Every structure is written in structure tokens, then in C-alpha cells.
Amino acid sequence: MKKKQQNSITQMQELADLAGVSRSTVSRALSDSPLINKKTKEKIRALAKKHNYRVNEKARNFRLQKTNIITVVMMLDIKSEQHMSDPFFLDILGGIADTLSIHNYDLLLAHAPIHNILDLPDSRTFQQSDGVIFVGQGKQHENLNQIAGLDTPIIVWGANIPDKEYSLVASDNVNGGILATNHLIQIGRKKIAFFGDIEQPEIGQRYEGYKNALDKHGLKIDEQLIIDVPFEMHHARETLTQLIESNNKFDAVFCCTDVIALSAIATLNEHGISVPKDVSIVGYDDISMASYSNPPLTTVRQNIRWAGRVLVESILSKINGETIADTIIQSELIVRKSSVYKK
Amino acid sequence: MKKKQQNSITQMQELADLAGVSRSTVSRALSDSPLINKKTKEKIRALAKKHNYRVNEKARNFRLQKTNIITVVMMLDIKSEQHMSDPFFLDILGGIADTLSIHNYDLLLAHAPIHNILDLPDSRTFQQSDGVIFVGQGKQHENLNQIAGLDTPIIVWGANIPDKEYSLVASDNVNGGILATNHLIQIGRKKIAFFGDIEQPEIGQRYEGYKNALDKHGLKIDEQLIIDVPFEMHHARETLTQLIESNNKFDAVFCCTDVIALSAIATLNEHGISVPKDVSIVGYDDISMASYSNPPLTTVRQNIRWAGRVLVESILSKINGETIADTIIQSELIVRKSSVYKK
DNA sequence: CTGTATTTTGCAATCGATTGCAATTGCTAT
DNA sequence: ATAGCAATTGCAATCGATTGCAAAATACAG
């Protein structure tokens, strides 16, 4: 059934024989070693192409003890068994993938034991890759500290936690929280709710920013308006519905992700509450959907492409034995006006 | 700087020496071979754990010529240099990842040369994995046919194209198109536009369904309303704006993805055109955002989790040398009513 | 206790490349 | 022609596991 490939050579030795040189020479020629004479190199290259020879990557990986694979572990532990369905994940993944491919690395998407990442070092996933990028810390800061001591280099995208022992590319979540909250205060809001799971370090820091901003403007924090919302739309809907029905007054919500914010807008609309007339919403992430909601979403944007680049370049440096410094990625507020109805 | 791991053993031989057995026995014990006595096995296992020994996966992969990695290539070639930012990708990726992890496989996310997948066989990406899942065919049906002849097994999620030589898990896109279009006709729409790049086989088949449905109801196709829209929100906005300004009348749009549909809804709203009063919209994919738009989006849902499962199980069968049949995944129409404004 | 069958274990070849070092070839200058 | 040096190429060890087959250990029957 399967067409057999013509003319295919599988062993470097065969190619060496054909070229009338040794295996070493072939190996060097194909890896473009400066030791090999240009003509020899070309001859070997041509022959390789002609006979459809490709080095066996598994042998190569074994010999070099290196795979050119970086594992990306998505850590935001979603409470339900649902998936990482937040488009923000794709954005950051894309940023990482881009830079990886420039450096000729592949991206292994880890999935399995995020409940306890201490299992990771035992997994094939971990062993097969030259380094691991953790996206978010979830609630496993301590475990990350442990893993940081092992042989496989890691780097983490997340919040800056005091006694961390791993390298970090951090978003300035506190500042992001301040930006978002200040905006709401500036447009005259007083009773600003916070939606998000503050146990997640990143979200916790956005919450810090929120508190700072309220403080500075002499607004006090209403515990009733600090609401734990998992990263999923239907949770946001349910939570918000409860809030509305509870009769706790609020005139704005700072949502820790755009997905939650979009869900909030829809839910408010369903309840006949006008956004932004009655309630203002600010999100976080600036996913591409954000500008298409009704009204378009004001949000905090992290420079995710740059983050991806820094994450990759940092982990590669680590792999090369260099010591690296933490990086902080700036955030900015993206203000969107409600769309103008021409009707 | 880096903490050295205590008690760590790196070679199987060392562990064998400690256990007073041979390398073979250790190897067999760790891979749970029935040849090894239970007590011996336990002793070796305990020792391995105690000394923190893990088999070197690179050596293992080399020896077995197998990596337990499946590559997933996202094919919908987006015209801009933007990313796969459609949440639908994440959904299908999630489905695939789930099933892979059950079977103890890892997922390599391919990225690089989707412009011409004929380069893939030369890439590390291809070599490092035991099989490849292509998500969508893009416009590379012929190239897929070629690659199907090579040693690395592949499977494709996409449209059923007559002379294909690769294994396929197909969504019944034609039927999906019919479902969507019938719905619009049934609610009284006559001038139904189609948004999507019909050169993409999957989209082309949805378009077939659209034409069939119109035909059957005696509606004729208006070429002016068949509009090529790339998979990105801002393209959809621009395209739709042009359509509106062109004064071509239409009272419904069948959008080939939800992302386009959501963008369409927003754009229509901006122009003071009421959805669904003036124009009805139907999308495709049922991304989680779909039920949160205003109004909530009626759409066609493909059973993506099942698709992921079938894709994985098929490729694994192929890897094991079994011959496999194509599978068709059913679609269903999800009708959502506009939300009721209580105001 | 011996012979045979059955479990367990070990020997040694093998997977396919890379690379330090030694050997060879090719040049240049004397 | 030859020493001296640089540019090329080849030899052979090595990376760390798996596995077919043979050998040893154990169990069992007579």
C-alpha cells in the first residue's frame, strides 16, 4: 500500500561510500563544518539530496544529548476540566513559537500533570526537551522552586514572587491593575468590583494594583465586590448574575482577563444593564476579540510578542550555560470608546 | 549556581551494579517486562527511585527509533503574518492533546514551513515525531498527497477531496453548510451572503452546502454576495464595510467561522444595522465566545473532541502498521435566540 | 537425587551519528 | 627536491539504552 521511497539512503555510511569519503567527512560536510573543503562539501551535499538522505535525528539527538525542543507548559490551572480555551494562550504560544522557529527549535506543548508539576521531571515530556517554559505559575510557586534546581533549565512567565529561585519574565501586573483601576476612577466610577482568582499570583498582583489605585484615590475596598472567578466564560456569567441579584451596588468591574470581561458585558446586557452607561468594564490581555465586543472593550495590553521573544531567548541562553537576568514586560492601557450607534 | 542533584545516577549500568544485576535486567524491570521476577523488579524500582535514576529518553528514542511524539501542523494559511488566533484552533488542539496524553504521547506544535509543506520531510520537526496530524488542508492537497507516500505516517483533518491519497478525518462541511443556510432560509431570509475563502477545501464545501440549500429552495446565487474573507477579524470588518457601502442588499450572512461572524455582528452594529432584525448571521465552529455575543450567535458545531480522539487514534493505528478507514464527523446546528432585553 | 521444563538473568550486538586526535595531502619557500 | 606548515580527511571511541539468544537458576516429577 505504502509507496516505498526510491533511491533512499538511510545510513551515513552508505552516503560516505558513494562519495568515496569517510563517515566523519560526511557528518562534517552536512553540518557545514569549516574543516571540510568546499568542493567536497558540495559533492556530498548534492549526493545527499540526490539519494534523499537525511541524518537520523534520533541518533543525532542521542549523540548530542540535545533535541532542539523546548517544552511549553500552560499553568493557569483552570478549575473545571475544560481546556485552555482563552485566546490569550494562543497569542502567547504564537509569540513563543515564532521566536523558537527563528532559532531552529521546536515547541512541545505540555499538557499532562499540571496538577503537580513535581511529576514533570519524571515524564518523557521533560526529558525530551532542552528546556521548559512555564506560562503562569498557577499555585505552584514552591514546586517551581524545586524544579528550578534540576538539570533541565526552566523559565517562568508570571508574577514576581519574593523568594523565587527560578528565572522569570514578568509582566508588571501591579501596574496593569493600577492602570485599569485608575481609568475606571477617572471616568467617575466609585464602586468598582474585581473579578478574578487572586490566588493566582498574576491575578493577585493585578488585585494589588487595584487596591493601590483605590487607596490613592481615597476609595475603600468593598469585600463584597472582590469576586473569585475562574477563567471561564460560564463561570463569569454565573458569578456576575449572583452579584447582580445580590443587590450589592457596583458601577464598574475590573476583570482579570478579557474573556471574563466579554462574558461580563454579555451578562450585563442580558440583565438590561447598560455597558458602559450603567456599569463600566475593563479587561486584561487585549485579545483580538476585545475590540469587537459591544461596546468595544477597554483593556490592559501586555506586549506578548516581546514576552515570547524574551522567554525564548532567555531559556536558550540558560541552555548555553549563561546566567540570565529577569525581565519585566510593560503593560499599557488600551482605551476604547463605545461604538457610536448611527441609528 | 545550579544546585547539583544529590544521589543521582545517570547510567543504567550504575543502577545495575547497585542492584547486583545486569543492565538487561534493569532495563526490563523498568519497562515492566514479564520476564523479570516480581521481587527483582521491585528491588530495582525502589533503587531507581532512591537514586533518582531515570532512563535517558534520548538514548531510548534512538534505540527504538521512536519518540512518542506526534506533530500537529496547523494548516489554515492565514493571509497576513498574524497567528492562528482563532480559538477554534485551541479547541481542536485541546481535543488532540487530551487523547495523546491518554496514550502517553506528546504533542509537538509545528509552525514553520506551512507555505510549502514539501519542506517538512526535511525538517527536524518531521523527523522527531512518530506521526503528523495536519489540521486543515490549506491549499496544499497535492503536497499532502506526496507526503502521504513517505515513511512518517500522516493523517489530515479536513475536507474530503476526490483523489486524495492520505487518510482523513472529515467534518461533513457540506451538510454543515446546508444546515446553516436552511436555517437562514427558514427564518425568512432571501438574500444570504457567504463569507469565506472558498479556495480552502473545508470552506469550499460549506459553500457547496450553501449553494445546495439555496438551490433546493429556489433561491438564486448572487455572486456579489459571495465574498472572500480571510480568517481574521479585521479583514472581516473591512470586507463587510465594503459590502454595506456597496449598497448590495443582503439580509443574512453565513460566515465560515465564528470569529468572522462575531466580527460581522460588531461591524453591523457599528453601522446601525440591527442583528438579527435587519440582518441574520450564522457562524461555524461554536467557539465558547459564540454564546456571549450580542445577540448570541447561531452556529454550526462540529464534534471537536471526538474529532481529536479519532485523529489521534487513527494516527496511532497507522504507526502500528494498521490500515485505517476515513471517518466523518457529524455537525449540528446550534440555534441561539437573541437575548431578551428586559429594559 | 537426577532429568526435564520453566523462570530468570546475563552476554554482547546493535541503533546512527559526532568528534578528538592522528594521519595524510597539498602548498610554499628554500 | 624537501622541510615546514596549513588545510583536509579518516580512525575509532563514544553516547545509553534494548533485545535475541544462550546460560543459569529454580521448580517439579519420577
Side-chain angles (χ1 to χ4, degrees):
Chain A
M1 185 98 286
K2 191 189 284 183
K3 279 180 294 185
K4 223 30 222 157
Q5 260 200 284
Q6 309 290 336
N7 284 337
S8 285
I9 269 181
T10 56
Q11 295 237 2
M12 195 173 264
Q13 183 66 63
E14 301 176 46
L15 184 57
D17 294 345
L18 277 168
V21 297
S22 73
R23 235 171 31 253
S24 339
T25 304
V26 173
S27 171
R28 291 190 177 107
L30 294 178
S31 64
D32 205 23
S33 155
L35 285 180
I36 301 296
N37 183 290
K38 202 175 154 201
K39 277 181 200 142
T40 318
K41 225 182 255 185
E42 278 163 7
K43 187 176 74 179
I44 293 176
R45 288 258 174 86
L47 231 42
K49 179 157 238 164
K50 179 174 165 204
H51 291 85
N52 225 296
Y53 170 80
R54 292 186 263 272
V55 302
N56 181 316
E57 285 299 329
K58 285 134 190 162
R60 182 168 213 274
N61 289 346
F62 166 54
R63 175 60 229 241
L64 301 176
Q65 285 299 306
K66 185 174 191 332
T67 57
N68 275 45
I69 291 177
I70 296 293
T71 296
V72 175
V73 183
M74 292 291 179
M75 289 288 287
L76 292 181
D77 40 7
I78 294 172
K79 283 181 181 168
S80 73
E81 285 310 306
Q82 287 284 63
H83 273 287
M84 40 178 192
S85 50
D86 192 321
F88 178 70
F89 286 157
L90 263 185
D91 290 342
I92 196 160
L93 206 54
I96 292 171
D98 271 354
T99 311
L100 280 178
S101 82
I102 290 171
H103 292 279
N104 197 27
Y105 270 76
D106 281 323
L107 187 164
L108 194 68
L109 192 58
H111 182 72
I114 64 165
H115 300 302
N116 183 359
I117 55 167
L118 289 183
D119 293 339
L120 264 180
D122 283 316
S123 69
R124 241 185 323 90
T125 312
F126 210 75
Q127 296 262 313
Q128 305 231 59
S129 61
D130 297 340
V132 180
I133 298 174
F134 289 91
V135 176
Q137 289 139 319
K139 293 168 186 171
Q140 304 195 50
H141 169 66
E142 291 304 332
N143 293 344
L144 285 168
N145 269 347
Q146 290 213 26
I147 288 184
L150 306 183
D151 289 335
T152 307
I154 72 170
I155 191 158
V156 176
W157 161 260
N160 197 348
I161 303 181
D163 60 345
K164 74 175 177 51
E165 299 182 19
Y166 43 83
S167 301
L168 188 76
V169 177
S171 173
D172 57 344
N173 288 292
V174 177
N175 186 239
I178 292 175
L179 291 174
T181 312
N182 275 349
H183 171 74
L184 291 170
I185 295 171
Q186 274 159 27
I187 61 177
R189 300 305 181 175
K190 307 277 185 207
K191 303 182 77 56
I192 303 171
F194 181 92
F195 278 15
D197 177 3
I198 58 179
E199 305 270 309
Q200 306 273 354
E202 295 175 85
I203 311 306
Q205 296 199 337
R206 291 172 199 173
Y207 175 63
E208 285 305 313
Y210 161 87
K211 285 197 299 187
N212 290 356
L214 290 185
D215 261 13
K216 188 171 286 174
H217 290 83
L219 295 171
K220 69 170 186 290
I221 287 144
D222 180 352
E223 295 292 340
Q224 305 291 316
L225 295 181
I226 313 305
I227 297 173
D228 176 10
V229 182
F231 293 101
E232 257 178 65
M233 299 198 97
H234 72 271
H235 284 124
R237 169 177 265 157
E238 287 155 18
T239 311
L240 181 51
T241 301
Q242 282 171 25
L243 179 62
I244 292 168
E245 289 168 354
S246 77
N247 276 323
N248 280 311
K249 295 296 173 212
F250 63 99
D251 56 14
V253 185
F254 171 24
C255 299
C256 71
T257 71
D258 281 355
V259 169
I260 291 176
L262 293 176
S263 171
I265 291 178
T267 308
L268 289 168
N269 279 338
E270 282 166 20
H271 285 80
I273 299 172
S274 164
V275 180
K277 195 145 65 76
D278 302 329
V279 172
S280 294
I281 303 281
V282 174
Y284 213 103
D285 292 340
D286 195 28
I287 62 178
S288 67
M289 215 79 75
S291 59
Y292 289 88
S293 67
N294 178 12
L297 185 59
T298 290
T299 186
V300 177
R301 178 193 291 163
Q302 312 172 69
N303 191 335
I304 233 44
R305 303 200 74 76
W306 196 42
R309 213 173 82 198
V310 174
L311 281 166
V312 169
E313 280 163 5
S314 299
I315 193 78
L316 296 185
S317 298
K318 265 203 143 175
I319 289 170
N320 291 328
E322 301 161 26
T323 51
I324 60 176
D326 292 348
T327 310
I328 304 219
I329 304 285
Q330 304 292 334
S331 304
E332 59 178 322
L333 183 74
I334 308 292
V335 178
R336 296 206 172 86
K337 301 235 173 82
S338 0
S339 50
V340 182
Y341 284 72
K342 296 178 185 163
K343 187 184 290 181
Chain B
M1 186 96 284
K2 192 190 286 183
K3 278 180 295 181
K4 234 358 199 188
Q5 260 199 285
Q6 307 292 335
N7 286 337
S8 285
I9 269 181
T10 57
Q11 297 235 0
M12 195 173 264
Q13 183 65 65
E14 301 175 46
L15 185 56
D17 294 345
L18 277 168
V21 298
S22 73
R23 235 172 29 254
S24 341
T25 303
V26 172
S27 172
R28 291 191 177 107
L30 294 178
S31 64
D32 205 22
S33 155
L35 283 179
I36 302 296
N37 180 289
K38 202 175 154 203
K39 276 182 201 141
T40 319
K41 224 182 254 184
E42 278 163 8
K43 186 175 75 178
I44 293 176
R45 288 258 174 87
L47 230 41
K49 178 156 238 167
K50 177 174 167 202
H51 291 87
N52 227 295
Y53 169 79
R54 294 185 262 270
V55 300
N56 182 318
E57 285 299 328
K58 286 134 190 164
R60 182 169 212 274
N61 290 345
F62 167 54
R63 177 58 229 243
L64 300 177
Q65 287 299 306
K66 186 174 191 329
T67 57
N68 274 47
I69 290 177
I70 297 292
T71 296
V72 175
V73 183
M74 292 292 179
M75 290 288 287
L76 292 181
D77 40 10
I78 293 170
K79 284 179 179 166
S80 74
E81 287 307 308
Q82 288 285 61
H83 273 286
M84 41 178 192
S85 50
D86 192 323
F88 178 71
F89 287 157
L90 262 186
D91 289 343
I92 196 161
L93 204 54
I96 291 172
D98 270 354
T99 312
L100 280 178
S101 81
I102 289 171
H103 292 278
N104 199 25
Y105 270 76
D106 280 323
L107 188 165
L108 195 69
L109 192 58
H111 181 70
I114 64 164
H115 302 302
N116 183 0
I117 55 167
L118 290 182
D119 294 340
L120 263 181
D122 282 316
S123 68
R124 241 185 323 88
T125 311
F126 210 74
Q127 296 264 313
Q128 305 232 55
S129 62
D130 298 339
V132 180
I133 298 175
F134 289 91
V135 176
Q137 289 138 319
K139 293 168 184 169
Q140 305 196 50
H141 169 66
E142 291 304 333
N143 292 345
L144 285 168
N145 270 346
Q146 291 213 26
I147 288 185
L150 305 183
D151 289 334
T152 307
I154 71 169
I155 191 157
V156 177
W157 160 260
N160 197 347
I161 303 180
D163 61 345
K164 74 175 177 54
E165 300 181 19
Y166 43 83
S167 301
L168 188 76
V169 176
S171 174
D172 57 344
N173 288 292
V174 177
N175 186 241
I178 292 176
L179 290 174
T181 313
N182 275 350
H183 171 74
L184 290 169
I185 295 171
Q186 275 159 26
I187 61 177
R189 300 306 182 175
K190 306 276 184 208
K191 306 182 75 58
I192 303 171
F194 181 93
F195 279 16
D197 177 4
I198 60 180
E199 306 268 309
Q200 306 272 354
E202 296 175 81
I203 311 305
Q205 296 200 336
R206 291 171 199 174
Y207 176 62
E208 285 305 314
Y210 161 86
K211 285 198 299 188
N212 289 358
L214 290 185
D215 261 13
K216 187 170 287 174
H217 291 83
L219 295 170
K220 70 170 187 290
I221 286 145
D222 179 352
E223 294 292 341
Q224 304 292 315
L225 295 181
I226 313 305
I227 297 174
D228 176 11
V229 182
F231 292 100
E232 257 178 65
M233 299 200 96
H234 72 271
H235 284 125
R237 167 177 266 157
E238 288 155 17
T239 311
L240 181 52
T241 301
Q242 281 171 27
L243 178 63
I244 292 169
E245 289 169 353
S246 77
N247 275 324
N248 279 310
K249 295 296 173 211
F250 63 98
D251 56 14
V253 185
F254 171 24
C255 300
C256 71
T257 70
D258 280 355
V259 169
I260 292 176
L262 293 177
S263 170
I265 291 178
T267 309
L268 289 168
N269 279 339
E270 284 166 19
H271 285 80
I273 298 170
S274 164
V275 180
K277 194 145 64 78
D278 302 329
V279 173
S280 294
I281 303 280
V282 174
Y284 212 103
D285 292 341
D286 194 28
I287 63 177
S288 67
M289 216 79 74
S291 60
Y292 288 88
S293 67
N294 178 11
L297 185 60
T298 290
T299 187
V300 178
R301 178 194 292 164
Q302 311 173 66
N303 190 336
I304 234 42
R305 302 201 73 75
W306 196 42
R309 214 173 82 197
V310 175
L311 281 166
V312 169
E313 279 162 6
S314 299
I315 193 78
L316 295 186
S317 298
K318 265 203 141 174
I319 289 171
N320 291 328
E322 300 161 25
T323 52
I324 60 175
D326 292 349
T327 310
I328 305 217
I329 304 286
Q330 304 291 336
S331 304
E332 60 177 324
L333 184 73
I334 308 293
V335 178
R336 295 205 172 87
K337 300 233 172 81
S338 2
S339 49
V340 180
Y341 285 73
K342 297 177 184 165
K343 188 182 289 176

